[in-house]
Amino acid sequence: MKLKSYLKISTAALVIASASVGIGITPAFAQQTAEDQDRGIADIVVTATRREESVNKVPLAITALGGDTLSDLNITKFEKLIEYLPNVRAASRGPGASSIFIRGLSTDSPGLQIAGTAGAQPTVALYINDAPASLVGRNLDLYAVDLQRVEVLAGPQGTLFGASAMGGAVRYITNKPDTSAFGAGFNSSYAFTKGGEESVAGDAFINIPIIQDKLAVRAVVYTDRQGGYIDNIAGTFQMPFNGNVGVAGKLPTGNPLLVMRAIQSCQATATTAVPNCTGSLYRAPTPQTINNDAFVEDNYNDATYRGGRIALTWKVTDDWSVDLMHVRQELDTDGVFDFEPDEGDLKVTKFNDNSLRDRVSLSTWGVNGRLGALDLIYTGSFLKHNATQVADYAGYSNIGLYLPYYECDRGVYYTAAYNGNIGNTCYAPNKTYQVRNRTERMTHELRITTPVDKRLRGTFGLFYDDNKLFDNTDWSYLQEAAGFIYRRAPNTSVNANDTSIRPVKVGFFNDIQRKDTQFAAYGEASFDIIPEKLIFTGGLRYYDEKASINGSSNGSFGGARGVYNATTGTYTAASSGPKTYNVSANLNVLYADASPAKYSGTLYKANLTYRLNDTSLVYATYSDGFRPGGFNRRPCRVPSAICPTNADFVRLGTYVPDKVQNYEVGGKFSLLDRRLQVNFAAYQIDWSNIQITVFDQNISNQTFTTNLLDARIKGLEGDVTWRTTPELTFNSAFSYNDSEMTKYRKSSKVLRPLGGPLALSPKFQFNARLHWEKELSSGLAPFAQIGIHYVGKSISDVIDNVDIRYQASNPTLGYAASIPVTYNGVTVRPGDVIAPIKAAQKLGSYSTASASFGVSKDEWRLELFGDNLTDERPELYKSGNDGELRTTTSRPRTIGLRFSYKI
């Protein structure tokens, strides 16, 4: 659909709504009776524009869910929240392992094992009050409890919220201490899941005025144990390979390196091919088999959230106040949260431990005051986040081009035909990886606002952000039986952050530090062209950013094995074995002249708003946004055809900021004496120089990020709230998103075709809920609610494939140039695909339903709730990262009881 069509729809909506506004609707709240106000829709005050303002008076596409609504919907986690956000999606591998996207600004989600080192910055900014809390590679999965509201700002918010707000911003606004009155309360719940374990949760808060109307403290604690529902069933695994010897028209299948070596056996000399080659000349390795008997378990995936928050407010004077807050949370998971459809419904076969230990500590401080007519706000924050994730990695044998080097005898990788008798066994493929990510982020912001009642008013500020990420990831896939018998430490030349001697199974590790430092100055001013009618707002943000990388990638190629005994088939230690790992990439040296990279620029916003009356408006907006650039560990091999020198390494290893430009028209209309609220926005977003994370083993054996693509997104979104009677309220929201890849920035064989959609960008999403509540003469207030949620089909990635191609040289012939050969009648030339590996997966459309009913009176509330009532298996996300298809889905049908008490 063309933008012109959207504008026609938008114009029609404006005309209809404007006509409705003009046919007798009372324009001002002050003219309504108390009874009229009681029948109207409750107002929510937001700070999306850095001022307190009614959500329906802000000329911005914003969804705000108040604390009572969050409680009514039983929302405590982000996965539940997005069901009620029509244009928000997430790429999730489970609690603490998801990425957020708004308005379809999504391309991919790299594997968690490399997200910290190689992942791009997020496209959506996450805030806790005024504290930026976004993380690279994974969402900060804070438990949502005792919140005043959640604000979701759609579209670029660059001028006020800065870097990574190019898709929008999500803000968790906590309840502040109340200096006027004591308060306390708790919530408790018990739920059971179809085919799974029960879940138990509880939270409590207390608010204590220490000095009446001057000083107060508020504390919150919570714990939530979510029972598992995915079963780890018995299975076996070995290095995969089938030579398909003599099967006409069939190439070998299995591990790409073994497939490569089998086809290379059809080349007789540097210039001749084996006639009528069927693969019989290739001596396939002998594979050993592992089982997962020690890890078989029903309801394998459980998660526990534990944490608390304490806040203090001190009203120093009538004009000055101080706010302090500290948040701590522990998130522990065991098992995996994506199942393997080939193994059955909610079944997996995992051969090692899978766990996450996620720890977050956030401290914030703020000073609010007045200097004459000006409001002054200073806020600061310090975020410390530690995530340790251990995962089974057996499946990497399916796609790892270099894996047989680590897991098999040397003769499998280099082939006995060239190197003599050096073994031909692939040993038990027992592999794991451990990610240790540590983030430290310090921010400071100073903001001044002028009086809101002036014809010219504005908000101006300074912002500083120092964000450090330390990534230490160990891949444990060496097999002692394959000769890897030495414990080693990092090479001293890399100046490692973690200098410890690694376990003998660690074959490769990253020791990386990323740092992003940003200074920004911003301002946004509004002028009443026609007082209280026509308002122009202009904003800009100047940013000066530095992105740096230090550290190294380290491996085990070259001299890491023991001495092979051809008679016994075993290995013994050499007289002087290796003490250190070989250096795969020393980033301190390679990027010495390039890091830090410096980026500066200016972001702009322009908005024209026409207020039809005090409760309705239409607007047009232009805004832009950006995401910081950065560096890669190893974008290519030096020397190689595309990377002959270190200078080429630096050139290909650096990626620059990507940017968006947003053109938007919208309207907000309060109708029927404030009993009906209709909001909509139509937009076009041009996204250029898109950062995409790629794992292309034909270029590099390490995942890298580069600027590959341009795209355009056209969309229409809206929401309706209708309080049909004082007891019955209808809420609904929808989004229509038409995303399109428009231009390749670089030649690539891995991207999906131009004209196709972006990842996780369904064309249509919709949710609706009906809430009824009535207070009886006895004081009891029964209530009931039902909701539905629909998401259209989409794709998981813009990367179409990571196919392995036939190499240009043949190690079985002393690395002579490869020539075309024929295998079972199939001609294979250098560069041809020999091991297809699909990346993008189709995600089907789905719908879910939830309901609740109960009763409340005075301080207490009792509720019976049900989620996923039809027991659907929505395809929230699919991944084939390790050569095995896995699907993230919703928790099966869950029924629970919840009790709340508040004084």
Side-chain angles (χ1 to χ4, degrees):
M1 186 182 291
K2 303 297 185 183
L3 181 62
K4 187 181 296 184
S5 302
Y6 289 110
L7 294 176
K8 287 180 179 178
I9 295 172
S10 307
T11 302
L14 290 174
V15 170
I16 294 170
S18 300
S20 301
V21 171
I23 55 175
I25 296 172
T26 305
F29 293 155
Q31 296 174 332
Q32 298 176 347
T33 67
E35 182 181 355
D36 290 335
Q37 292 187 25
D38 185 61
R39 294 204 313 266
I41 297 168
D43 202 12
I44 298 179
V45 175
V46 297
T47 53
T49 59
R50 305 291 193 168
R51 297 176 181 271
E52 290 191 349
E53 196 168 4
S54 166
V55 64
N56 294 319
K57 293 186 177 182
V58 178
L60 172 70
I62 176 173
T63 301
L65 298 177
D68 290 342
T69 299
L70 295 171
S71 180
D72 288 344
L73 298 174
N74 198 24
I75 293 174
T76 55
K77 295 169 289 297
F78 193 80
E79 63 188 42
K80 179 72 173 177
L81 175 65
I82 62 173
E83 294 182 12
Y84 301 95
L85 305 176
N87 219 344
V88 180
R89 302 299 303 143
S92 176
R93 300 287 291 272
S98 63
S99 301
I100 310 169
F101 309 104
I102 298 177
R103 284 188 174 175
L105 269 75
S106 166
T107 58
D108 62 342
S109 186
L112 294 173
Q113 66 271 30
I114 49 82
T117 289
Q121 295 278 357
T123 61
V124 173
L126 177 66
Y127 276 74
I128 311 301
N129 295 327
D130 285 329
S134 303
L135 299 176
V136 174
R138 60 177 74 226
N139 176 32
L140 188 65
D141 194 355
L142 279 181
Y143 198 74
V145 63
D146 195 41
L147 296 182
Q148 186 183 92
R149 64 185 181 277
V150 173
E151 300 176 8
V152 180
L153 288 60
Q157 308 297 323
T159 54
L160 291 181
F161 293 95
S164 295
M166 58 194 297
V170 176
R171 305 181 69 215
Y172 285 14
I173 309 300
T174 63
N175 282 320
K176 289 186 176 182
D178 182 357
T179 61
S180 65
F182 174 84
F186 70 87
N187 301 292
S188 60
S189 66
Y190 173 87
F192 61 91
T193 296
K194 179 184 177 183
E197 292 180 319
E198 69 274 7
S199 300
V200 181
D203 64 81
F205 81 93
I206 186 169
N207 185 94
I208 303 173
I210 299 173
I211 302 175
Q212 188 73 21
D213 298 325
K214 294 286 287 185
L215 182 67
V217 65
R218 188 181 188 97
V220 183
V221 293
Y222 56 85
T223 182
D224 185 347
R225 185 196 178 279
Q226 301 169 17
Y229 52 87
I230 292 177
D231 299 335
N232 190 24
I233 62 174
T236 59
F237 186 71
Q238 63 183 21
M239 176 69 73
F241 179 72
N242 184 348
N244 290 316
V245 176
V247 181
K250 287 281 190 177
L251 291 177
T253 59
N255 177 271
L257 189 281
L258 305 186
V259 171
M260 188 86 65
R261 296 295 184 256
I263 296 173
Q264 287 169 340
S265 72
C266 293
Q267 183 174 349
T269 69
T271 57
T272 62
V274 174
N276 302 315
C277 184
T278 63
S280 60
L281 298 178
Y282 177 62
R283 183 184 167 209
T286 301
Q288 292 185 353
T289 300
I290 59 172
N291 64 58
N292 66 343
D293 292 351
F295 301 96
V296 171
E297 182 183 351
D298 288 342
N299 305 320
Y300 171 61
N301 60 318
D302 53 76
T304 301
Y305 292 79
R306 294 181 298 270
R309 183 174 72 242
I310 186 167
L312 181 144
T313 292
W314 178 26
K315 294 184 178 180
V316 183
T317 69
D318 288 343
D319 291 334
W320 289 89
S321 64
V322 175
D323 292 293
L324 305 175
M325 185 183 73
H326 182 70
V327 178
R328 279 186 179 271
Q329 178 177 282
E330 298 178 356
L331 167 59
D332 295 335
T333 73
D334 291 295
V336 297
F337 292 78
D338 44 4
F339 72 98
E340 301 167 23
D342 291 343
E343 299 295 340
D345 183 36
L346 301 177
K347 310 293 184 186
V348 295
T349 51
K350 294 300 174 187
F351 298 86
N352 279 286
D353 287 329
N354 288 271
S355 65
L356 170 66
R357 303 294 178 258
D358 186 288
R359 305 291 183 263
V360 61
S361 171
L362 173 65
S363 298
T364 68
W365 52 92
V367 178
N368 295 263
R370 292 183 64 84
L371 292 175
L374 302 178
D375 290 330
L376 182 146
I377 300 174
Y378 160 73
T379 61
S381 68
F382 179 71
L383 171 68
K384 188 172 182 179
H385 176 260
N386 291 276
T388 300
Q389 185 143 22
V390 177
D392 174 42
Y393 208 37
Y396 188 55
S397 294
N398 294 311
I399 65 171
L401 179 61
Y402 298 95
L403 195 64
Y405 174 84
Y406 302 104
E407 200 163 88
C408 309
D409 283 324
R410 192 165 180 262
V412 175
Y413 187 83
Y414 291 106
T415 74
Y418 174 51
N419 290 279
N421 184 8
I422 49 178
N424 201 47
T425 298
C426 285
Y427 298 94
N430 193 352
K431 301 182 290 297
T432 63
Y433 65 80
Q434 182 188 62
V435 179
R436 290 172 290 147
N437 284 164
R438 175 166 58 92
T439 298
E440 295 179 358
R441 187 173 190 180
M442 174 79 78
T443 67
H444 300 278
E445 184 169 8
L446 179 65
R447 190 164 67 245
I448 295 175
T449 60
T450 64
V452 69
D453 57 350
K454 300 298 183 182
R455 188 172 183 181
L456 177 63
R457 55 202 174 274
T459 298
F460 309 92
L462 301 173
F463 177 75
Y464 175 80
D465 186 359
D466 183 69
N467 191 358
K468 299 174 184 176
L469 170 64
F470 302 87
D471 176 79
N472 288 94
T473 301
D474 296 341
W475 281 264
S476 296
Y477 41 48
L478 293 184
Q479 300 301 321
E480 292 185 62
F484 294 101
I485 56 178
Y486 305 109
R487 292 191 65 190
R488 292 162 292 155
N491 192 298
T492 56
S493 66
V494 302
N495 192 26
N497 186 44
D498 179 0
T499 60
S500 66
I501 297 175
R502 300 301 200 269
V504 69
K505 285 183 67 68
V506 174
F508 186 91
F509 67 88
N510 286 324
D511 188 295
I512 305 284
Q513 177 184 331
R514 294 174 60 170
K515 182 177 180 179
D516 291 276
T517 304
Q518 183 187 158
F519 169 78
Y522 63 88
E524 191 168 290
S526 298
F527 177 72
D528 292 345
I529 300 173
I530 302 175
E532 300 183 3
K533 277 292 184 181
L534 185 63
I535 304 102
F536 174 78
T537 300
L540 59 83
R541 185 185 190 96
Y542 170 79
Y543 63 89
D544 187 337
E545 184 219 351
K546 295 178 181 178
S548 63
I549 191 169
N550 298 98
S552 60
S553 292
N554 307 267
S556 297
F557 271 86
R561 297 179 197 260
V563 179
Y564 182 68
N565 186 319
T567 302
T568 63
T570 59
Y571 295 82
T572 57
S575 57
S576 59
K579 303 296 184 184
T580 62
Y581 286 84
N582 76 295
V583 180
S584 176
N586 187 342
L587 306 181
N588 307 314
V589 174
L590 290 166
Y591 288 121
D593 297 327
S595 177
K598 299 179 181 180
Y599 308 105
S600 61
T602 304
L603 303 175
Y604 299 96
K605 175 183 177 180
N607 171 275
L608 190 65
T609 299
Y610 183 74
R611 298 193 180 278
L612 302 168
N613 53 41
D614 281 351
T615 61
S616 300
L617 60 86
V618 292
Y619 68 88
T621 297
Y622 167 84
S623 59
D624 55 16
F626 84 108
R627 177 169 51 165
F631 296 93
N632 288 293
R633 298 170 299 166
R634 194 182 183 196
C636 53
R637 294 186 296 270
V638 180
S640 64
I642 65 169
C643 206
T645 68
N646 284 350
D648 296 296
F649 180 101
V650 173
R651 174 177 55 82
L652 294 173
T654 305
Y655 56 94
V656 300
D658 50 358
K659 299 182 179 180
V660 295
Q661 294 178 305
N662 175 61
Y663 309 88
E664 182 175 333
V665 295
K668 298 186 174 186
F669 309 100
S670 181
L671 311 171
L672 305 180
D673 291 332
R674 289 179 48 247
R675 290 187 292 111
L676 176 65
Q677 181 69 40
V678 179
N679 305 323
F680 82 95
Y683 53 86
Q684 174 178 299
I685 300 175
D686 293 327
W687 190 5
S688 60
N689 254 343
I690 300 174
Q691 300 170 9
I692 297 179
T693 303
V694 183
F695 179 51
D696 188 343
Q697 298 177 85
N698 304 289
I699 298 174
S700 174
N701 66 335
Q702 298 182 28
T703 303
F704 59 93
T705 298
T706 187
N707 303 93
L708 271 183
L709 191 66
D710 288 356
R712 172 168 288 176
I713 304 167
K714 300 174 182 177
L716 179 67
E717 62 192 15
D719 61 82
V720 175
T721 300
W722 182 19
R723 192 171 182 184
T724 60
T725 70
E727 297 82 20
L728 187 65
T729 302
F730 171 77
N731 297 89
S732 179
F734 76 93
S735 69
Y736 178 86
N737 233 33
D738 186 9
S739 63
E740 178 184 5
M741 299 188 296
T742 57
K743 178 182 178 181
Y744 294 145
R745 285 281 177 166
K746 297 175 183 176
S747 176
S748 174
K749 298 178 180 179
V750 302
L751 290 174
R752 287 172 54 82
L754 293 180
L758 293 171
L760 300 168
S761 182
K763 282 204 169 183
F764 187 67
Q765 297 183 80
F766 169 81
N767 66 68
R769 66 183 190 273
L770 198 62
H771 181 86
W772 176 85
E773 184 167 2
K774 181 178 179 63
E775 184 172 356
L776 306 178
S777 58
S778 63
L780 290 174
F783 60 88
Q785 179 170 267
I786 188 169
I788 59 171
H789 175 223
Y790 171 83
V791 177
K793 62 183 180 180
S794 62
I795 59 167
S796 66
D797 208 321
V798 298
I799 303 294
D800 181 68
N801 66 81
V802 287
D803 297 342
I804 305 298
R805 298 176 181 275
Y806 194 50
Q807 291 177 343
S809 62
N810 190 333
T812 66
L813 299 172
Y815 289 92
S818 296
I819 63 172
V821 297
T822 300
Y823 190 105
N824 283 337
V826 179
T827 299
V828 180
R829 300 174 178 82
D832 286 353
V833 173
I834 60 169
I837 303 173
K838 191 69 176 173
Q841 306 291 335
K842 293 181 179 179
L843 306 179
S845 61
Y846 66 89
S847 58
T848 59
S850 61
S852 64
F853 66 90
V855 64
S856 65
K857 183 178 181 182
D858 300 328
E859 297 89 1
W860 60 267
R861 176 185 175 100
L862 183 65
E863 175 184 8
L864 181 69
F865 63 88
D867 292 324
N868 193 7
L869 292 175
T870 55
D871 197 31
E872 302 295 326
R873 297 290 179 271
E875 296 175 335
L876 304 179
Y877 186 63
K878 282 184 180 179
S879 169
N881 283 348
D882 300 333
E884 54 190 15
L885 182 62
R886 299 198 294 272
T887 300
T888 305
T889 191
S890 296
R891 178 178 288 272
R893 181 190 299 120
T894 297
I895 306 296
L897 188 66
R898 188 163 175 253
F899 179 73
S900 302
Y901 185 83
K902 185 182 294 186
I903 57 175

